[in-house]
PDB file of all heavy atoms in Angstrom:
ATOM      1  N   LEU S   1      22.868 -17.291  -0.879  1.00 98.00           N
ATOM      2  CA  LEU S   1      23.891 -17.268  -1.908  1.00 98.00           C
ATOM      3  C   LEU S   1      24.421 -15.850  -2.070  1.00 98.00           C
ATOM      4  O   LEU S   1      23.675 -14.883  -1.909  1.00 98.00           O
ATOM      5  CB  LEU S   1      23.326 -17.745  -3.247  1.00 98.00           C
ATOM      6  CG  LEU S   1      22.635 -19.110  -3.260  1.00 98.00           C
ATOM      7  CD1 LEU S   1      22.206 -19.439  -4.701  1.00 98.00           C
ATOM      8  CD2 LEU S   1      23.528 -20.181  -2.704  1.00 98.00           C
ATOM      9  N   SER S   2      25.703 -15.759  -2.404  1.00 98.00           N
ATOM     10  CA  SER S   2      26.312 -14.462  -2.667  1.00 98.00           C
ATOM     11  C   SER S   2      27.071 -14.508  -3.979  1.00 98.00           C
ATOM     12  O   SER S   2      27.564 -15.566  -4.383  1.00 98.00           O
ATOM     13  CB  SER S   2      27.271 -14.077  -1.537  1.00 98.00           C
ATOM     14  OG  SER S   2      26.582 -13.931  -0.315  1.00 98.00           O
ATOM     15  N   CYS S   3      27.158 -13.365  -4.636  1.00 97.00           N
ATOM     16  CA  CYS S   3      27.890 -13.251  -5.886  1.00 97.00           C
ATOM     17  C   CYS S   3      28.652 -11.943  -5.875  1.00 97.00           C
ATOM     18  O   CYS S   3      28.050 -10.872  -5.756  1.00 97.00           O
ATOM     19  CB  CYS S   3      26.934 -13.305  -7.068  1.00 97.00           C
ATOM     20  SG  CYS S   3      27.694 -12.923  -8.659  1.00 97.00           S
ATOM     21  N   GLY S   4      29.964 -12.039  -6.014  1.00 96.00           N
ATOM     22  CA  GLY S   4      30.802 -10.853  -6.085  1.00 96.00           C
ATOM     23  C   GLY S   4      31.213 -10.572  -7.512  1.00 96.00           C
ATOM     24  O   GLY S   4      31.572 -11.493  -8.247  1.00 96.00           O
ATOM     25  N   ALA S   5      31.152  -9.304  -7.896  1.00 94.00           N
ATOM     26  CA  ALA S   5      31.523  -8.903  -9.247  1.00 94.00           C
ATOM     27  C   ALA S   5      32.821  -8.116  -9.223  1.00 94.00           C
ATOM     28  O   ALA S   5      33.074  -7.322  -8.310  1.00 94.00           O
ATOM     29  CB  ALA S   5      30.412  -8.055  -9.873  1.00 94.00           C
ATOM     30  N   SER S   6      33.629  -8.311 -10.253  1.00 90.00           N
ATOM     31  CA  SER S   6      34.864  -7.544 -10.419  1.00 90.00           C
ATOM     32  C   SER S   6      35.069  -7.264 -11.891  1.00 90.00           C
ATOM     33  O   SER S   6      34.406  -7.853 -12.745  1.00 90.00           O
ATOM     34  CB  SER S   6      36.059  -8.293  -9.829  1.00 90.00           C
ATOM     35  OG  SER S   6      36.235  -9.536 -10.480  1.00 90.00           O
ATOM     36  N   GLY S   7      35.990  -6.365 -12.204  1.00 87.00           N
ATOM     37  CA  GLY S   7      36.216  -5.985 -13.590  1.00 87.00           C
ATOM     38  C   GLY S   7      35.493  -4.695 -13.914  1.00 87.00           C
ATOM     39  O   GLY S   7      35.544  -3.742 -13.143  1.00 87.00           O
ATOM     40  N   SER S   8      34.794  -4.680 -15.032  1.00 80.00           N
ATOM     41  CA  SER S   8      34.110  -3.464 -15.502  1.00 80.00           C
ATOM     42  C   SER S   8      32.776  -3.296 -14.770  1.00 80.00           C
ATOM     43  O   SER S   8      31.705  -3.266 -15.379  1.00 80.00           O
ATOM     44  CB  SER S   8      33.871  -3.539 -17.002  1.00 80.00           C
ATOM     45  OG  SER S   8      35.086  -3.686 -17.697  1.00 80.00           O
ATOM     46  N   ILE S   9      32.850  -3.141 -13.472  1.00 80.00           N
ATOM     47  CA  ILE S   9      31.645  -3.152 -12.641  1.00 80.00           C
ATOM     48  C   ILE S   9      30.793  -1.907 -12.828  1.00 80.00           C
ATOM     49  O   ILE S   9      29.583  -1.945 -12.589  1.00 80.00           O
ATOM     50  CB  ILE S   9      32.009  -3.334 -11.164  1.00 80.00           C
ATOM     51  CG1 ILE S   9      32.999  -2.248 -10.726  1.00 80.00           C
ATOM     52  CG2 ILE S   9      32.552  -4.727 -10.913  1.00 80.00           C
ATOM     53  CD1 ILE S   9      33.344  -2.294  -9.273  1.00 80.00           C
ATOM     54  N   LEU S  10      31.369  -0.807 -13.257  1.00 80.00           N
ATOM     55  CA  LEU S  10      30.580   0.408 -13.465  1.00 80.00           C
ATOM     56  C   LEU S  10      29.585   0.232 -14.600  1.00 80.00           C
ATOM     57  O   LEU S  10      28.615   0.978 -14.698  1.00 80.00           O
ATOM     58  CB  LEU S  10      31.501   1.594 -13.743  1.00 80.00           C
ATOM     59  CG  LEU S  10      32.395   2.028 -12.588  1.00 80.00           C
ATOM     60  CD1 LEU S  10      33.264   3.212 -13.004  1.00 80.00           C
ATOM     61  CD2 LEU S  10      31.569   2.389 -11.357  1.00 80.00           C
ATOM     62  N   SER S  11      29.822  -0.753 -15.472  1.00 82.00           N
ATOM     63  CA  SER S  11      28.928  -1.010 -16.606  1.00 82.00           C
ATOM     64  C   SER S  11      27.736  -1.881 -16.235  1.00 82.00           C
ATOM     65  O   SER S  11      26.854  -2.099 -17.050  1.00 82.00           O
ATOM     66  CB  SER S  11      29.715  -1.695 -17.728  1.00 82.00           C
ATOM     67  OG  SER S  11      30.816  -0.913 -18.137  1.00 82.00           O
ATOM     68  N   ILE S  12      27.736  -2.402 -15.025  1.00 87.00           N
ATOM     69  CA  ILE S  12      26.685  -3.346 -14.626  1.00 87.00           C
ATOM     70  C   ILE S  12      25.467  -2.596 -14.105  1.00 87.00           C
ATOM     71  O   ILE S  12      25.573  -1.798 -13.188  1.00 87.00           O
ATOM     72  CB  ILE S  12      27.185  -4.311 -13.535  1.00 87.00           C
ATOM     73  CG1 ILE S  12      28.371  -5.126 -14.050  1.00 87.00           C
ATOM     74  CG2 ILE S  12      26.055  -5.237 -13.100  1.00 87.00           C
ATOM     75  CD1 ILE S  12      28.996  -5.998 -12.977  1.00 87.00           C
ATOM     76  N   ASN S  13      24.298  -2.883 -14.696  1.00 91.00           N
ATOM     77  CA  ASN S  13      23.044  -2.375 -14.143  1.00 91.00           C
ATOM     78  C   ASN S  13      22.295  -3.522 -13.467  1.00 91.00           C
ATOM     79  O   ASN S  13      22.108  -3.546 -12.261  1.00 91.00           O
ATOM     80  CB  ASN S  13      22.185  -1.739 -15.229  1.00 91.00           C
ATOM     81  CG  ASN S  13      20.858  -1.254 -14.686  1.00 91.00           C
ATOM     82  OD1 ASN S  13      20.698  -1.016 -13.490  1.00 91.00           O
ATOM     83  ND2 ASN S  13      19.868  -1.103 -15.555  1.00 91.00           N
ATOM     84  N   ILE S  14      21.901  -4.502 -14.271  1.00 95.00           N
ATOM     85  CA  ILE S  14      21.143  -5.625 -13.732  1.00 95.00           C
ATOM     86  C   ILE S  14      22.089  -6.757 -13.317  1.00 95.00           C
ATOM     87  O   ILE S  14      23.024  -7.094 -14.031  1.00 95.00           O
ATOM     88  CB  ILE S  14      20.148  -6.151 -14.780  1.00 95.00           C
ATOM     89  CG1 ILE S  14      19.116  -5.066 -15.109  1.00 95.00           C
ATOM     90  CG2 ILE S  14      19.465  -7.407 -14.288  1.00 95.00           C
ATOM     91  CD1 ILE S  14      18.201  -5.435 -16.255  1.00 95.00           C
ATOM     92  N   MET S  15      21.811  -7.332 -12.148  1.00 96.00           N
ATOM     93  CA  MET S  15      22.459  -8.575 -11.722  1.00 96.00           C
ATOM     94  C   MET S  15      21.362  -9.544 -11.320  1.00 96.00           C
ATOM     95  O   MET S  15      20.324  -9.137 -10.797  1.00 96.00           O
ATOM     96  CB  MET S  15      23.417  -8.330 -10.554  1.00 96.00           C
ATOM     97  CG  MET S  15      24.624  -7.493 -10.910  1.00 96.00           C
ATOM     98  SD  MET S  15      25.806  -7.352  -9.553  1.00 96.00           S
ATOM     99  CE  MET S  15      26.511  -9.007  -9.541  1.00 96.00           C
ATOM    100  N   GLY S  16      21.618 -10.801 -11.573  1.00 97.00           N
ATOM    101  CA  GLY S  16      20.566 -11.753 -11.273  1.00 97.00           C
ATOM    102  C   GLY S  16      21.070 -13.148 -11.007  1.00 97.00           C
ATOM    103  O   GLY S  16      22.264 -13.425 -11.088  1.00 97.00           O
ATOM    104  N   TRP S  17      20.119 -14.000 -10.680  1.00 98.00           N
ATOM    105  CA  TRP S  17      20.388 -15.409 -10.437  1.00 98.00           C
ATOM    106  C   TRP S  17      19.542 -16.265 -11.387  1.00 98.00           C
ATOM    107  O   TRP S  17      18.350 -15.987 -11.584  1.00 98.00           O
ATOM    108  CB  TRP S  17      20.050 -15.783  -8.993  1.00 98.00           C
ATOM    109  CG  TRP S  17      20.970 -15.185  -7.988  1.00 98.00           C
ATOM    110  CD1 TRP S  17      20.817 -14.004  -7.319  1.00 98.00           C
ATOM    111  CD2 TRP S  17      22.216 -15.730  -7.550  1.00 98.00           C
ATOM    112  NE1 TRP S  17      21.877 -13.772  -6.492  1.00 98.00           N
ATOM    113  CE2 TRP S  17      22.754 -14.825  -6.604  1.00 98.00           C
ATOM    114  CE3 TRP S  17      22.928 -16.890  -7.843  1.00 98.00           C
ATOM    115  CZ2 TRP S  17      23.966 -15.051  -5.963  1.00 98.00           C
ATOM    116  CZ3 TRP S  17      24.133 -17.114  -7.201  1.00 98.00           C
ATOM    117  CH2 TRP S  17      24.650 -16.203  -6.270  1.00 98.00           C
ATOM    118  N   TYR S  18      20.185 -17.265 -11.946  1.00 98.00           N
ATOM    119  CA  TYR S  18      19.523 -18.288 -12.740  1.00 98.00           C
ATOM    120  C   TYR S  18      19.800 -19.624 -12.063  1.00 98.00           C
ATOM    121  O   TYR S  18      20.711 -19.752 -11.236  1.00 98.00           O
ATOM    122  CB  TYR S  18      20.090 -18.323 -14.160  1.00 98.00           C
ATOM    123  CG  TYR S  18      19.611 -17.222 -15.071  1.00 98.00           C
ATOM    124  CD1 TYR S  18      19.965 -15.894 -14.856  1.00 98.00           C
ATOM    125  CD2 TYR S  18      18.810 -17.501 -16.174  1.00 98.00           C
ATOM    126  CE1 TYR S  18      19.527 -14.880 -15.694  1.00 98.00           C
ATOM    127  CE2 TYR S  18      18.373 -16.500 -17.037  1.00 98.00           C
ATOM    128  CZ  TYR S  18      18.738 -15.196 -16.777  1.00 98.00           C
ATOM    129  OH  TYR S  18      18.301 -14.203 -17.622  1.00 98.00           O
ATOM    130  N   ARG S  19      19.031 -20.623 -12.455  1.00 98.00           N
ATOM    131  CA  ARG S  19      19.304 -21.965 -11.966  1.00 98.00           C
ATOM    132  C   ARG S  19      19.047 -22.982 -13.062  1.00 98.00           C
ATOM    133  O   ARG S  19      18.245 -22.760 -13.971  1.00 98.00           O
ATOM    134  CB  ARG S  19      18.478 -22.294 -10.723  1.00 98.00           C
ATOM    135  CG  ARG S  19      16.980 -22.397 -10.945  1.00 98.00           C
ATOM    136  CD  ARG S  19      16.262 -22.578  -9.601  1.00 98.00           C
ATOM    137  NE  ARG S  19      14.815 -22.697  -9.745  1.00 98.00           N
ATOM    138  CZ  ARG S  19      13.958 -22.738  -8.725  1.00 98.00           C
ATOM    139  NH1 ARG S  19      14.429 -22.675  -7.469  1.00 98.00           N
ATOM    140  NH2 ARG S  19      12.669 -22.854  -8.930  1.00 98.00           N
ATOM    141  N   GLN S  20      19.764 -24.091 -12.944  1.00 98.00           N
ATOM    142  CA  GLN S  20      19.617 -25.184 -13.906  1.00 98.00           C
ATOM    143  C   GLN S  20      19.587 -26.494 -13.154  1.00 98.00           C
ATOM    144  O   GLN S  20      20.587 -26.888 -12.529  1.00 98.00           O
ATOM    145  CB  GLN S  20      20.751 -25.167 -14.925  1.00 98.00           C
ATOM    146  CG  GLN S  20      20.571 -26.153 -16.047  1.00 98.00           C
ATOM    147  CD  GLN S  20      21.525 -25.901 -17.197  1.00 98.00           C
ATOM    148  OE1 GLN S  20      22.549 -25.218 -17.039  1.00 98.00           O
ATOM    149  NE2 GLN S  20      21.220 -26.432 -18.357  1.00 98.00           N
ATOM    150  N   ALA S  21      18.441 -27.154 -13.212  1.00 96.00           N
ATOM    151  CA  ALA S  21      18.295 -28.470 -12.611  1.00 96.00           C
ATOM    152  C   ALA S  21      18.764 -29.526 -13.602  1.00 96.00           C
ATOM    153  O   ALA S  21      18.789 -29.279 -14.819  1.00 96.00           O
ATOM    154  CB  ALA S  21      16.840 -28.696 -12.223  1.00 96.00           C
ATOM    155  N   PRO S  22      19.119 -30.715 -13.106  1.00 92.00           N
ATOM    156  CA  PRO S  22      19.590 -31.776 -14.008  1.00 92.00           C
ATOM    157  C   PRO S  22      18.576 -32.072 -15.119  1.00 92.00           C
ATOM    158  O   PRO S  22      17.389 -32.274 -14.838  1.00 92.00           O
ATOM    159  CB  PRO S  22      19.756 -32.967 -13.070  1.00 92.00           C
ATOM    160  CG  PRO S  22      20.010 -32.370 -11.735  1.00 92.00           C
ATOM    161  CD  PRO S  22      19.183 -31.130 -11.697  1.00 92.00           C
ATOM    162  N   GLY S  23      19.030 -32.041 -16.342  1.00 94.00           N
ATOM    163  CA  GLY S  23      18.175 -32.359 -17.470  1.00 94.00           C
ATOM    164  C   GLY S  23      17.217 -31.271 -17.887  1.00 94.00           C
ATOM    165  O   GLY S  23      16.353 -31.489 -18.745  1.00 94.00           O
ATOM    166  N   LYS S  24      17.343 -30.098 -17.290  1.00 96.00           N
ATOM    167  CA  LYS S  24      16.434 -28.998 -17.596  1.00 96.00           C
ATOM    168  C   LYS S  24      17.204 -27.778 -18.080  1.00 96.00           C
ATOM    169  O   LYS S  24      18.417 -27.686 -17.928  1.00 96.00           O
ATOM    170  CB  LYS S  24      15.596 -28.644 -16.370  1.00 96.00           C
ATOM    171  CG  LYS S  24      14.659 -29.753 -15.925  1.00 96.00           C
ATOM    172  CD  LYS S  24      13.721 -29.271 -14.837  1.00 96.00           C
ATOM    173  CE  LYS S  24      12.733 -30.357 -14.446  1.00 96.00           C
ATOM    174  NZ  LYS S  24      11.785 -29.900 -13.396  1.00 96.00           N
ATOM    175  N   GLU S  25      16.474 -26.842 -18.670  1.00 97.00           N
ATOM    176  CA  GLU S  25      17.086 -25.610 -19.160  1.00 97.00           C
ATOM    177  C   GLU S  25      17.389 -24.662 -17.997  1.00 97.00           C
ATOM    178  O   GLU S  25      16.780 -24.737 -16.934  1.00 97.00           O
ATOM    179  CB  GLU S  25      16.155 -24.923 -20.153  1.00 97.00           C
ATOM    180  CG  GLU S  25      15.934 -25.692 -21.441  1.00 97.00           C
ATOM    181  CD  GLU S  25      15.098 -24.906 -22.443  1.00 97.00           C
ATOM    182  OE1 GLU S  25      14.569 -23.834 -22.078  1.00 97.00           O
ATOM    183  OE2 GLU S  25      14.976 -25.374 -23.596  1.00 97.00           O
ATOM    184  N   ARG S  26      18.322 -23.761 -18.252  1.00 97.00           N
ATOM    185  CA  ARG S  26      18.629 -22.725 -17.286  1.00 97.00           C
ATOM    186  C   ARG S  26      17.520 -21.677 -17.301  1.00 97.00           C
ATOM    187  O   ARG S  26      17.119 -21.209 -18.376  1.00 97.00           O
ATOM    188  CB  ARG S  26      19.970 -22.077 -17.621  1.00 97.00           C
ATOM    189  CG  ARG S  26      20.509 -21.178 -16.548  1.00 97.00           C
ATOM    190  CD  ARG S  26      21.898 -20.651 -16.920  1.00 97.00           C
ATOM    191  NE  ARG S  26      22.871 -21.741 -17.057  1.00 97.00           N
ATOM    192  CZ  ARG S  26      24.176 -21.526 -17.227  1.00 97.00           C
ATOM    193  NH1 ARG S  26      24.650 -20.284 -17.251  1.00 97.00           N
ATOM    194  NH2 ARG S  26      24.993 -22.533 -17.362  1.00 97.00           N
ATOM    195  N   THR S  27      17.002 -21.331 -16.145  1.00 98.00           N
ATOM    196  CA  THR S  27      15.896 -20.381 -16.058  1.00 98.00           C
ATOM    197  C   THR S  27      16.195 -19.280 -15.048  1.00 98.00           C
ATOM    198  O   THR S  27      16.965 -19.486 -14.107  1.00 98.00           O
ATOM    199  CB  THR S  27      14.584 -21.071 -15.665  1.00 98.00           C
ATOM    200  OG1 THR S  27      14.760 -21.726 -14.403  1.00 98.00           O
ATOM    201  CG2 THR S  27      14.157 -22.101 -16.699  1.00 98.00           C
ATOM    202  N   SER S  28      15.565 -18.143 -15.250  1.00 98.00           N
ATOM    203  CA  SER S  28      15.766 -17.012 -14.362  1.00 98.00           C
ATOM    204  C   SER S  28      15.061 -17.243 -13.033  1.00 98.00           C
ATOM    205  O   SER S  28      13.928 -17.728 -12.985  1.00 98.00           O
ATOM    206  CB  SER S  28      15.235 -15.728 -15.009  1.00 98.00           C
ATOM    207  OG  SER S  28      15.383 -14.632 -14.135  1.00 98.00           O
ATOM    208  N   VAL S  29      15.741 -16.878 -11.954  1.00 98.00           N
ATOM    209  CA  VAL S  29      15.167 -16.978 -10.618  1.00 98.00           C
ATOM    210  C   VAL S  29      14.763 -15.588 -10.115  1.00 98.00           C
ATOM    211  O   VAL S  29      13.648 -15.373  -9.662  1.00 98.00           O
ATOM    212  CB  VAL S  29      16.176 -17.606  -9.641  1.00 98.00           C
ATOM    213  CG1 VAL S  29      15.628 -17.594  -8.216  1.00 98.00           C
ATOM    214  CG2 VAL S  29      16.542 -19.016 -10.083  1.00 98.00           C
ATOM    215  N   ALA S  30      15.700 -14.654 -10.196  1.00 98.00           N
ATOM    216  CA  ALA S  30      15.434 -13.294  -9.714  1.00 98.00           C
ATOM    217  C   ALA S  30      16.494 -12.364 -10.267  1.00 98.00           C
ATOM    218  O   ALA S  30      17.606 -12.797 -10.595  1.00 98.00           O
ATOM    219  CB  ALA S  30      15.449 -13.243  -8.187  1.00 98.00           C
ATOM    220  N   ASN S  31      16.143 -11.083 -10.410  1.00 98.00           N
ATOM    221  CA  ASN S  31      17.158 -10.105 -10.751  1.00 98.00           C
ATOM    222  C   ASN S  31      16.871  -8.780 -10.071  1.00 98.00           C
ATOM    223  O   ASN S  31      15.761  -8.543  -9.560  1.00 98.00           O
ATOM    224  CB  ASN S  31      17.311  -9.931 -12.267  1.00 98.00           C
ATOM    225  CG  ASN S  31      16.064  -9.407 -12.954  1.00 98.00           C
ATOM    226  OD1 ASN S  31      15.534  -8.365 -12.575  1.00 98.00           O
ATOM    227  ND2 ASN S  31      15.617 -10.107 -13.974  1.00 98.00           N
ATOM    228  N   ILE S  32      17.891  -7.936 -10.057  1.00 97.00           N
ATOM    229  CA  ILE S  32      17.788  -6.658  -9.364  1.00 97.00           C
ATOM    230  C   ILE S  32      18.604  -5.621 -10.118  1.00 97.00           C
ATOM    231  O   ILE S  32      19.704  -5.899 -10.598  1.00 97.00           O
ATOM    232  CB  ILE S  32      18.266  -6.791  -7.893  1.00 97.00           C
ATOM    233  CG1 ILE S  32      18.065  -5.489  -7.121  1.00 97.00           C
ATOM    234  CG2 ILE S  32      19.716  -7.259  -7.828  1.00 97.00           C
ATOM    235  CD1 ILE S  32      18.253  -5.662  -5.609  1.00 97.00           C
ATOM    236  N   THR S  33      18.040  -4.415 -10.253  1.00 95.00           N
ATOM    237  CA  THR S  33      18.768  -3.346 -10.918  1.00 95.00           C
ATOM    238  C   THR S  33      19.644  -2.609  -9.911  1.00 95.00           C
ATOM    239  O   THR S  33      19.514  -2.802  -8.689  1.00 95.00           O
ATOM    240  CB  THR S  33      17.788  -2.341 -11.544  1.00 95.00           C
ATOM    241  OG1 THR S  33      17.085  -1.655 -10.495  1.00 95.00           O
ATOM    242  CG2 THR S  33      16.788  -3.047 -12.459  1.00 95.00           C
ATOM    243  N   LYS S  34      20.500  -1.753 -10.435  1.00 93.00           N
ATOM    244  CA  LYS S  34      21.358  -0.960  -9.561  1.00 93.00           C
ATOM    245  C   LYS S  34      20.515  -0.079  -8.639  1.00 93.00           C
ATOM    246  O   LYS S  34      20.902   0.198  -7.505  1.00 93.00           O
ATOM    247  CB  LYS S  34      22.303  -0.108 -10.404  1.00 93.00           C
ATOM    248  CG  LYS S  34      23.353   0.645  -9.595  1.00 93.00           C
ATOM    249  CD  LYS S  34      24.288   1.423 -10.502  1.00 93.00           C
ATOM    250  CE  LYS S  34      25.210   0.532 -11.267  1.00 93.00           C
ATOM    251  NZ  LYS S  34      26.243   1.286 -12.025  1.00 93.00           N
ATOM    252  N   GLY S  35      19.333   0.299  -9.107  1.00 93.00           N
ATOM    253  CA  GLY S  35      18.441   1.128  -8.305  1.00 93.00           C
ATOM    254  C   GLY S  35      17.600   0.364  -7.310  1.00 93.00           C
ATOM    255  O   GLY S  35      16.893   0.964  -6.500  1.00 93.00           O
ATOM    256  N   GLY S  36      17.649  -0.978  -7.382  1.00 94.00           N
ATOM    257  CA  GLY S  36      16.943  -1.785  -6.399  1.00 94.00           C
ATOM    258  C   GLY S  36      15.630  -2.388  -6.856  1.00 94.00           C
ATOM    259  O   GLY S  36      14.946  -3.048  -6.067  1.00 94.00           O
ATOM    260  N   SER S  37      15.260  -2.205  -8.112  1.00 97.00           N
ATOM    261  CA  SER S  37      14.035  -2.834  -8.615  1.00 97.00           C
ATOM    262  C   SER S  37      14.277  -4.326  -8.798  1.00 97.00           C
ATOM    263  O   SER S  37      15.308  -4.719  -9.326  1.00 97.00           O
ATOM    264  CB  SER S  37      13.618  -2.209  -9.948  1.00 97.00           C
ATOM    265  OG  SER S  37      13.303  -0.845  -9.763  1.00 97.00           O
ATOM    266  N   THR S  38      13.300  -5.128  -8.382  1.00 98.00           N
ATOM    267  CA  THR S  38      13.482  -6.576  -8.405  1.00 98.00           C
ATOM    268  C   THR S  38      12.405  -7.280  -9.225  1.00 98.00           C
ATOM    269  O   THR S  38      11.289  -6.765  -9.392  1.00 98.00           O
ATOM    270  CB  THR S  38      13.444  -7.146  -6.979  1.00 98.00           C
ATOM    271  OG1 THR S  38      12.193  -6.806  -6.369  1.00 98.00           O
ATOM    272  CG2 THR S  38      14.581  -6.588  -6.136  1.00 98.00           C
ATOM    273  N   LYS S  39      12.753  -8.447  -9.717  1.00 98.00           N
ATOM    274  CA  LYS S  39      11.822  -9.347 -10.392  1.00 98.00           C
ATOM    275  C   LYS S  39      12.102 -10.752  -9.921  1.00 98.00           C
ATOM    276  O   LYS S  39      13.264 -11.112  -9.693  1.00 98.00           O
ATOM    277  CB  LYS S  39      11.967  -9.271 -11.917  1.00 98.00           C
ATOM    278  CG  LYS S  39      11.462  -7.990 -12.540  1.00 98.00           C
ATOM    279  CD  LYS S  39      11.545  -8.060 -14.061  1.00 98.00           C
ATOM    280  CE  LYS S  39      11.019  -6.782 -14.699  1.00 98.00           C
ATOM    281  NZ  LYS S  39      11.121  -6.827 -16.179  1.00 98.00           N
ATOM    282  N   TYR S  40      11.028 -11.550  -9.798  1.00 98.00           N
ATOM    283  CA  TYR S  40      11.158 -12.920  -9.334  1.00 98.00           C
ATOM    284  C   TYR S  40      10.381 -13.871 -10.237  1.00 98.00           C
ATOM    285  O   TYR S  40       9.323 -13.518 -10.775  1.00 98.00           O
ATOM    286  CB  TYR S  40      10.606 -13.062  -7.914  1.00 98.00           C
ATOM    287  CG  TYR S  40      11.368 -12.300  -6.862  1.00 98.00           C
ATOM    288  CD1 TYR S  40      11.001 -11.007  -6.507  1.00 98.00           C
ATOM    289  CD2 TYR S  40      12.465 -12.881  -6.226  1.00 98.00           C
ATOM    290  CE1 TYR S  40      11.706 -10.300  -5.548  1.00 98.00           C
ATOM    291  CE2 TYR S  40      13.173 -12.188  -5.254  1.00 98.00           C
ATOM    292  CZ  TYR S  40      12.788 -10.901  -4.920  1.00 98.00           C
ATOM    293  OH  TYR S  40      13.488 -10.215  -3.967  1.00 98.00           O
TER     294      TYR S  40
END
């Protein structure tokens, strides 16, 4: 998967992915800081 950002991009530090299965809440999958630190 890919995600492109536009607009006030200089303000963005963390970017991440969430997912929502049918009938379930949206949950975090992974995120990454501008410096490259990740969480899963």
Side-chain angles (χ1 to χ4, degrees):
L1 306 183
S2 297
C3 171
S6 61
S8 301
I9 56 176
L10 294 180
S11 302
I12 300 174
N13 178 22
I14 296 173
M15 293 185 73
W17 291 92
Y18 283 68
R19 67 186 181 186
Q20 187 167 19
K24 295 188 177 181
E25 294 185 352
R26 191 176 298 188
T27 58
S28 178
V29 175
N31 63 55
I32 184 168
T33 67
K34 187 178 289 187
S37 297
T38 58
K39 289 185 179 179
Y40 295 92

